[in-house]
Amino acid sequence: MKHLLFALIFSISTVTFGQRNQGSADITITGKVLEEGTNAPLEYATVAFIKADGSVSGGGITDEKGVYSIEINPGLYTVQFEFISYKTKKLTGQQLVKNTQLPIVKLALNTESLEEVVVRAETTEVQIRLDKKVYNIGKDLTTSGATVSDALNNVPSVTVDVDGAIALRGNENVRILINGRPSAIAGFGDTDALRQLPAEAIERVEVITSPSARYDAEGTAGILNIILRKEKTLGLNGSIQSNFSHPFGSNVTGNINLRTDKFNIFNTTGVRYNENPGNANFNNTYFGESVENPSVIEDRKYNRVRQGFNTNLGIEYFLTKSSSLTASGFYRMSDDNDFTTNFTQEFGLDDALVTARNRNETEGEDDENFQLSLNYVNDFDTNGHKLTADFQWETGSETQKSLIEEFNSFPDTDILPSERITEIEDQKEYLIQADYVLPIGENAQFEAGFRGTFENTITDYLLLEQQVTGGAFVRNDSLSNIFDFTENVMAAYSQYGNKFGQFSFLLGLRLENTQLKGEVSATDVTSQTNDELFINFDKNFLGLFPTVNLVYELGESENITLGYNRRINRPRSWYINPFPSRSSEANIFQGNPNLNPAYASAFDLGYLRRWSKITLTSSVYYQYETDSFERVQEDTGLLTPNGIPIIRTIPINLSTNQRIGAELGVLYNPTRWLRLNGSFNFFQFESEGSFNEVDYGAKNTSWFTRGSAKVTLPTKIDWQTNVFYRGPDNNAQTENEGILSVDLAFSKDFMNDNATVGFNVSDLFNSRKRRSLTTTPSFISDNEFQWRERQFTLSLTYRFNQKKERQRRGGNGDYDGEGFEG
């Protein structure tokens, strides 16, 4: 796999070298690009030389001083200057026949955009727009050698718990998009796939807490849109990064881009190998006269080996000066092997040890995903009149095979019957989408579009058990099944925006129809609780989802925003599959085929204020959700062969869930060598509902905060420290303790800033652990879980024909970069 990456780089480099030597340029054009008003140099501004026929003859970018020096052939040109969020400027009729220094060009901020209100504070790493915040992941030192999941945990408003579950403002029902679309890259909604992708593949993350009508209505908390890297600089450029970590791990990621006046080829490829040890402890106390051993303690050790390969290859072909067609393919494969040991001790009524046994689980998982995307863009003019169309096909296959062996170690030593579990999941998804944007006059804009997603998942779950030790493996018909799940969503939307003086608005309406269809093939149609299952279903849900986004500008650096949107939470396949699966004999998870989508109405009031060195963002939000999901635990009344009560976890629709909260973010850059970033989020939710005559209503108040300090030390060494703390929280059954996590990182550039060496420590104090206490009438469970232990990483990055993404010096801005949004 490593040879594939280097062969690709070598072959493209050879072709480009040959092209450059076919006709060498003989004049050099120099100049400087500044920001209008402040005269600050604009680094990474693009300079293009356009012939009379509209073709691009050459070009380049400015350096940290805003200076460019570009070789071209003599001729008559229009010289075009561009920079993200700034107005384009052109010098027409330039007869360039000898070495020439062009006059200084000054670009002005583009303030006419309806959607974008950009925070331009020095070295800030965030853009504030009408319906979202944009964070540049590439500038976070602590993400070097990390995964996409790790990188998201450093984004304000976002948390990633020790199980990998992603939450936005404390709400786990967040929609994950890749380049604006649902994607196999994110694992068809399974966020565990984000633990397998390198953070280096990300350009930026958009946190969309008040989505406009153009976005899916899925995700009651909002949307996280991950934009992948795609360089827009002319010529051949790229980078390669290698990482080595302890516990042992290594990975190599390469980014390469070849851009000419007719096409743009881009690729990100990575290989990885990681060992991720973890641990857990479960202390359970059971009540009831039939319980012989009321106290059970389980100690688990996880030894995980993760290895895989991923590549994203695409080509953008410029059909005309204003239209392009992009084709890209994404492939991800992984081969994971886990060995879990579970040491269980049972204690009698007198607290004396009655029995002890070991349960060893060997699990192998092969995962393969492929995605093909086509994107057509037609910019009818430079004022935003635009048509885009997308087609996407995805397929994925995941095979898990487990062997579970168990033996007693006290008072006698004997081997118990084993079991084998095979789970095969095949997924397919199609997406079609079109969006049309029509500017009306100077400030108004109309937009309309449609989207259809058609997803099918087939899960084949097979459990084989030995009836006696050393005997034949026999199929367990109560658990073995094939579940065929289909989710089809058709949507159409329109929205209109306008600006009157200091007031802007964006109003939209989205119509969505959701079909959820499930069919189970199984021998036994009863569950372990002997309840009859409504195993087949076909449901349709039609809904309207209005959105309102308002902005009032109190001044050039101060505004108030108000957003409203209606959202939906659709249950995933594993939440609906009625046949139980289990992590141990005594703990099973069972889906609920009667689970219906949940609906939420959300309000968001925000305030933004900018000073010369400080940027303040704040908001107050409220959400009211009906038929909200809640996972509840209950005693099934059944016992394992060893006499331990079987506990079932099942998701249900609770009646209502109210959530209110506030968040505050501060970006402070007192000097060029010190940058501070902090955020605080406080929320309270209250749920009401009952299940099986048990009241699961709860009221919970929680909060989380994070802070980051980035210091430039002497000899230009960058030092960054991130601190995160999530306060305690609870629901009707479980109380969770607070979690503290500290990350530390250093980096140093060398070889004329073409190379960077970095060192970081993830979870410095090894404190990122989930501690929880679950209390029910029939049992109490005291748990501690650590998915991954403290990790040390050394990284080395080399860039060719590509400058480091550095913070702009001087002025009042910071370039956040631009990636492919589709």
Side-chain angles (χ1 to χ4, degrees), residues 94-105:
Q94 299 296 308
Q95 187 72 38
L96 304 175
V97 295
K98 61 180 181 178
N99 294 343
T100 304
Q101 181 172 346
L102 294 177
I104 293 176
V105 173

Side-chain angles (χ1 to χ4, degrees), residues 78 88 131 321 359 418 449 472 485 489 516 518 524 539 573 579 601 642-643 705 758 820:
T78 294
T88 299
D131 58 353
K321 291 189 295 183
R359 178 184 174 93
S418 301
F485 176 70
V489 180
L516 302 178
D524 189 349
K539 306 176 183 179
S573 62
F579 272 74
S601 293
N642 302 312
T705 184
F820 172 58

Side-chain angles (χ1 to χ4, degrees), residues 17-239:
F17 181 79
Q19 290 176 341
R20 293 184 62 179
N21 282 275
Q22 291 174 2
S24 60
D26 54 6
I27 65 172
T28 302
I29 308 301
T30 58
K32 180 181 289 188
V33 182
L34 304 177
E35 181 181 60
E36 187 176 282
T38 66
N39 291 330
L42 289 178
E43 185 182 7
Y44 300 119
T46 300
V47 184
F49 294 85
I50 305 173
K51 297 179 181 180
D53 62 1
S55 63
V56 179
S57 177
I61 61 172
T62 57
D63 62 16
E64 66 272 11
K65 297 181 181 179
V67 173
Y68 60 90
S69 178
I70 302 169
E71 292 184 349
I72 62 171
N73 292 314
L76 178 66
Y77 294 98
T78 294
V79 188
Q80 181 170 293
F81 302 86
E82 291 182 313
F83 190 65
I84 303 304
S85 303
Y86 286 74
K87 294 181 179 179
T88 299
K89 182 169 287 190
K90 298 179 181 179
L91 299 178
T92 59
Q94 299 296 308
Q95 187 72 38
L96 304 175
V97 295
K98 61 180 181 178
N99 294 343
T100 304
Q101 181 172 346
L102 294 177
I104 293 176
V105 173
K106 297 183 179 181
L107 301 184
L109 277 169
N110 185 0
T111 59
E112 297 180 357
S113 172
L114 282 172
E115 294 185 5
E116 189 172 11
V117 183
V118 184
V119 174
R120 310 300 304 181
E122 181 183 359
T123 70
T124 59
E125 300 174 358
V126 60
Q127 289 183 336
I128 307 298
R129 301 186 182 179
L130 189 60
D131 58 353
K132 59 192 171 189
K133 298 182 180 71
V134 183
Y135 297 93
N136 188 341
I137 294 297
K139 295 175 182 176
D140 193 333
L141 303 183
T142 62
T143 63
S144 178
T147 67
V148 170
S149 183
D150 296 325
L152 290 177
N153 201 41
N154 290 338
V155 174
S157 304
V158 179
T159 56
V160 182
D161 68 14
V162 293
D163 295 304
I166 298 171
L168 181 58
R169 293 173 168 176
N171 188 345
E172 291 186 4
N173 182 226
V174 56
R175 179 68 157 166
I176 306 293
L177 302 179
I178 303 293
N179 294 333
R181 299 181 292 273
S183 174
I185 301 176
F188 294 97
D190 181 5
T191 56
D192 187 61
L194 300 178
R195 285 175 164 173
Q196 303 175 20
L197 293 174
E200 289 81 17
I202 302 177
E203 175 70 27
R204 64 183 187 268
V205 175
E206 298 177 347
V207 179
I208 309 172
T209 53
S210 184
S212 64
R214 78 161 62 104
Y215 294 104
D216 281 340
E218 170 74 17
T220 56
I223 295 172
L224 292 180
N225 186 22
I226 300 172
I227 305 298
L228 301 182
R229 292 183 181 274
K230 190 188 72 168
E231 183 62 47
K232 288 204 159 188
T233 306
L234 290 172
L236 176 71
N237 57 82
S239 65

Side-chain angles (χ1 to χ4, degrees), residues 582-601:
R582 58 183 179 178
S583 57
S584 69
E585 286 185 306
N587 296 280
I588 64 174
F589 178 87
Q590 181 176 6
N592 181 4
N594 296 320
L595 201 64
N596 292 324
Y599 295 89
S601 293

Side-chain angles (χ1 to χ4, degrees), residues 477-737:
D477 292 330
S478 296
L479 293 177
S480 300
N481 69 95
I482 299 176
F483 182 52
D484 189 334
F485 176 70
T486 298
E487 178 185 287
N488 297 327
V489 180
M490 295 290 291
Y493 80 93
S494 66
Q495 59 185 19
Y496 174 78
N498 207 336
K499 182 177 182 180
F500 301 97
Q502 296 172 290
F503 176 72
S504 302
F505 68 86
L506 185 62
L507 308 178
L509 184 65
R510 188 177 185 93
L511 174 68
E512 285 194 356
N513 182 78
T514 300
Q515 180 190 34
L516 302 178
K517 185 178 180 180
E519 183 176 347
V520 175
S521 299
T523 303
D524 189 349
V525 296
T526 59
S527 71
Q528 286 195 354
T529 58
N530 294 321
D531 297 326
E532 289 193 6
L533 298 173
F534 300 97
I535 58 177
N536 298 329
F537 56 90
D538 189 350
K539 306 176 183 179
N540 277 274
F541 304 89
L542 182 67
L544 284 173
F545 300 90
T547 63
V548 178
N549 284 293
L550 310 175
V551 175
Y552 184 75
E553 299 176 5
L554 300 174
E556 291 185 2
S557 59
E558 187 178 18
N559 66 60
I560 296 176
T561 60
L562 176 63
Y564 162 78
N565 60 92
R566 186 171 186 255
R567 312 290 295 165
I568 185 175
N569 181 10
R570 305 182 186 97
R572 304 299 297 174
S573 62
W574 55 88
Y575 258 39
I576 297 181
N577 189 346
F579 272 74
S581 62
R582 58 183 179 178
S583 57
S584 69
E585 286 185 306
N587 296 280
I588 64 174
F589 178 87
Q590 181 176 6
N592 181 4
N594 296 320
L595 201 64
N596 292 324
Y599 295 89
S601 293
F603 299 85
D604 189 293
L605 177 64
Y607 173 74
L608 166 69
R609 181 72 165 92
R610 291 172 284 143
W611 294 270
S612 60
K613 297 182 178 181
I614 301 177
T615 300
L616 172 69
T617 61
S618 61
S619 65
V620 177
Y621 52 90
Y622 171 78
Q623 181 183 94
Y624 181 83
E625 184 175 356
T626 59
D627 289 331
S628 58
F629 302 163
E630 184 71 36
R631 286 171 292 188
V632 300
Q633 291 180 301
E634 60 180 5
D635 191 338
T636 63
L638 302 176
L639 303 177
T640 69
N642 302 312
I644 300 176
I646 297 177
I647 305 301
R648 177 176 70 168
T649 301
I650 186 170
I652 62 172
N653 286 113
L654 283 177
S655 57
T656 63
N657 188 324
Q658 296 186 73
R659 182 182 296 267
I660 187 171
E663 62 180 354
L664 177 70
V666 178
L667 300 161
Y668 179 44
N669 303 304
T671 66
R672 290 186 176 183
W673 58 267
L674 177 61
R675 295 171 290 279
L676 304 174
N677 186 341
S679 64
F680 177 81
N681 197 303
F682 172 86
F683 57 90
Q684 174 182 285
F685 74 85
E686 183 175 0
S687 60
E688 297 179 358
S690 60
F691 180 70
N692 287 347
E693 300 182 352
V694 177
D695 184 7
Y696 288 98
K699 187 174 183 179
N700 174 39
T701 298
S702 188
W703 56 277
F704 61 87
T705 184
R706 55 166 46 88
S708 175
K710 194 172 182 180
V711 180
T712 301
L713 301 173
T715 69
K716 295 183 179 180
I717 296 177
D718 285 333
W719 168 23
Q720 181 175 328
T721 302
N722 290 355
V723 178
F724 171 81
Y725 180 78
R726 184 172 67 187
D729 65 85
N730 67 277
N731 58 25
Q733 292 182 315
T734 303
E735 297 179 2
N736 297 305
E737 296 184 11

